[in-house]
Each structure stands twice: as structure tokens, then as C-alpha cells.
Amino acid sequence: GAGVSQSPSNKVTEKGKDVELRCDPISGHTALYWYRQSLGQGLEFLIYFQGNSAPDKSGLPSDRFSAERTGGSVSTLTIQRTQQEDSAVYLCASSLAPGQGASYTFGSGTRLTVV
Amino acid sequence: GQQLNQSPQSMFIQEGEDVSMNCTSSSIFNTWLWYKQDPGEGPVLLIALYKAGELTSNGRLTAQFGITRKDSFLNISASIPSDVGIYFCAGQGSSYKLIFGSGTRLLVRP
């Protein structure tokens, strides 16, 4: 597609359940990033994928969070045993060239609500 | 995680007025970026700044990269209703990570 696609756009889940969030980056973009946006806050870095290199997971808040990127394209962010503090908008971005912030294109995000 | 200090948190202004918002950081950045986010959408880049002291315009928007490399401001002149949204600053150092401010929510009264 023309832009970064994220699904679902909204997800309501019960506390303790696992959720999977999906990101389809722009075709040909080798760099992919996940950010989290809590209510009234800026975006917080979670994880970065670049080609076949090992991902930078330094922003993941706990071991309940994990992410994969299969075939250098689609990425899934998994949150296990969700907690209410996990409620946020999860944004994915991709870029053709890593490291150039101005080239990042963001998706519309997945709004996660844990009840 | 690390965040920038962005102010003001919100502004409610009359259509036609000018707006100014700024960000400060304790760290030096190589790039300053300004984004706008509409409800239900991801941030969209407005202006990118790459050099200390740089002043860049995009239509009614003007942004500057502070001389100390620790601050930036964004001005919007002659605001219109479609300027409504949340504006974010972001700084980038030597890594690929963007550090975001907490946003300025702009409301414009027709």
C-alpha cells in the first residue's frame, strides 16, 4: 500500500489476555519502529528493526512485550498478560533509510484499551 | 523514557492569531522535527531542522533550531480552524531513536 498500515485500529481486551498488533510497512522500507503513545503524552520508543540485523529492544517496558518482523516486512507486537497500564495507542513507523528521522512515515496506530 | 519539555500543554486561541510553542532538552540534538497529529491518525511531519540556528518556513509555519542545539520553537501565523490538532516536537541525536515532547494541543475558535 501507499502508507503504513496498522491493524486492528481499535482493540479492547480483558486484563490478563494476550494481544497481537500488526504493522504493514511501506513496501521497500527496511527500517521499522514501534512507539507507544499514552494518553496526553508524547511517543515513547519501543523497538527498532533494520533489515536482517538483531532488533533494538531497549525500549520494551517489560518481558511481557515482544515483537517480530517476518521476511523483513510485516511486524507484530505481542503483549502478554495485558495490564491496565498497557492501555495506549501503539504506533508503527517505517523508513527507507534508517537513522533519518525526517523520513519516518507513521501509521494511524492501534488504540489498545485494557479493561 | 526520556522526553523533551514542550510548552504550552494546550492553547485555545482566536482564528487569525499567531501561535508559538517550544521544546527544550537537557541533551544536544542533531535534528529537530515538528509533527502534527490529527485525531485517530499518526503524526505527520511539518518541518525538519538540521543545523543550529537554522530557521525554516513551511507556509504559515516557521521553526528554528536553537543555537545551543537544546531547544527549538514552532510558530504558526494567522491561525485557521484546520490548524486544530496536537503538535509534537522530536529530537534526534546520533541514533535512529526520536525523543518526543508531550505535545501542545491547539484549539482554534472561529
Side-chain angles (χ1 to χ4, degrees), chain A residues 35 37 42 56 58 99 101 104, chain B residues 37 41 50 92 96-98 101:
Chain A
Y35 282 80
Q37 183 177 22
D56 176 356
S58 61
Y104 297 4
Chain B
Q37 186 177 30
E41 300 294 328
Y50 300 103
Q92 185 177 24
Y96 42 77
K97 295 179 189 176
L98 300 182

Side-chain angles (χ1 to χ4, degrees), chain A residues 11-33:
Chain A
K11 176 72 176 179
V12 180
T13 190
E14 290 181 353
K15 178 181 172 181
K17 294 284 179 69
D18 298 350
V19 294
E20 277 191 358
L21 313 179
R22 176 187 169 105
C23 173
D24 276 285
I26 293 173
S27 178
H29 280 196
T30 59
L32 186 148
Y33 319 80

